[in-house]
Amino acid sequence: MRTMKFLALAACCAMTCVACVDENTSVSLNGVINPKSASCDSASGDKSYIGELVYDSGITVGYTGWMNLTNNMSTSSPWNSSGGSGGSGSTLDVKLPDLNSVYLQELVFKCVSIDGDVDACDGQSNYTTTLGNTRVEAGGTKNIGFTIVPADFGWGSFTSCVVSVYAKFKDNGGLIKNETSHLTLTITDIAELNLFKQVEDACQAAGGTLEKTDNECAFWGQDSPSYSYECSTN
């Protein structure tokens, strides 16, 4: 009976290998970096990862950042063969194109808690944003730009939520599909703090006007006001 079950499983995998392949993930989602373009550092001047995505819904619809990701697979070809000890053999080293590259399909945000309530996530659908089959070669690390609009999550209104984030990827032929390691993040709407309004009022009280800086990396409503705007008294 065990032999029959084994043969049935083997036949299943032979016919539908996508459903049967369940490998450990070979791609790591390392963290979120705050720069807005490949040449931009974070507001603090470094490239450290951040765990909280802060935005002001009164000024911007969501958060824009970069997700740092690493493909841990090797570029070494597994197809190596050597001849016998007599020295008359040959060595075959097949170079496979696009070996172990992965193609990112979408970034998934899974609800963990809403305003501190874990039960509020019951029945909530995942929020996804497409990544356009972005290629990450074996051994490579890449920053993947993303934008999220919390109002589109479909989870109702909230001030803060905790999410588990991961990316879905496939190989070149689409036979193996998997997901990256998961990353826990907090998304916080600070609109009720009126932080940016306070900065604008203080500038006007000093007889100045708030003007956008030349910093192309700054997002008004997302970064610190002092980073994206300046008070001009000229």
Side-chain angles (χ1 to χ4, degrees):
M1 181 65 68
R2 289 181 181 177
T3 302
M4 292 296 294
K5 289 182 178 179
F6 176 79
L7 292 175
L9 178 61
C12 167
C13 289
M15 292 184 291
T16 59
C17 65
V18 173
C20 292
V21 172
D22 187 17
E23 298 179 344
N24 292 329
T25 182
S26 301
V27 183
S28 300
L29 202 56
N30 303 317
V32 175
I33 302 176
N34 203 31
K36 307 308 180 299
S37 75
S39 62
C40 297
D41 288 335
S42 66
S44 61
D46 58 34
K47 293 189 175 184
S48 58
Y49 301 133
I50 57 177
E52 186 174 17
L53 315 185
V54 178
Y55 76 105
D56 185 337
S57 63
I59 299 172
T60 182
V61 297
Y63 184 90
T64 297
W66 292 85
M67 198 74 72
N68 184 262
L69 178 146
T70 300
N71 180 351
N72 302 305
M73 289 185 280
S74 171
T75 57
S76 299
S77 172
W79 304 105
N80 293 301
S81 176
S82 60
S85 58
S88 60
S90 61
T91 299
L92 174 64
D93 187 4
V94 178
K95 300 296 183 184
L96 299 179
D98 210 27
L99 179 65
N100 288 335
S101 289
V102 298
Y103 294 81
L104 306 176
Q105 297 174 288
E106 59 185 12
L107 198 60
V108 181
F109 292 75
K110 180 180 180 180
C111 185
V112 175
S113 68
I114 298 176
D115 289 328
D117 184 2
V118 175
D119 294 336
C121 287
D122 290 346
Q124 302 289 7
S125 299
N126 294 340
Y127 174 83
T128 62
T129 178
T130 59
L131 297 176
N133 284 329
T134 302
R135 177 177 177 268
V136 184
E137 63 184 12
T141 296
K142 183 169 288 190
N143 290 334
I144 308 298
F146 72 95
T147 297
I148 55 174
V149 182
D152 293 343
F153 283 11
W155 303 346
S157 60
F158 56 82
T159 299
S160 180
C161 71
V162 177
V163 294
S164 177
V165 186
Y166 60 94
K168 291 184 178 180
F169 65 87
K170 64 178 182 178
D171 67 345
N172 187 30
L175 294 177
I176 296 179
K177 298 182 179 180
N178 211 330
E179 61 188 44
T180 68
S181 57
H182 289 221
L183 182 68
T184 300
L185 297 171
T186 301
I187 303 171
T188 302
D189 180 1
I190 61 171
E192 63 181 19
L193 300 179
N194 295 316
L195 177 62
F196 299 97
K197 185 67 166 57
Q198 294 175 33
V199 172
E200 185 177 37
D201 290 346
C203 179
Q204 291 176 352
T209 56
L210 207 59
E211 297 180 355
K212 196 175 187 331
T213 65
D214 293 332
N215 188 349
E216 64 179 8
C217 304
F219 269 39
W220 177 237
Q222 181 169 308
D223 294 315
S224 167
S226 61
Y227 184 63
S228 54
Y229 275 69
E230 61 185 0
C231 186
S232 175
T233 55
N234 294 333

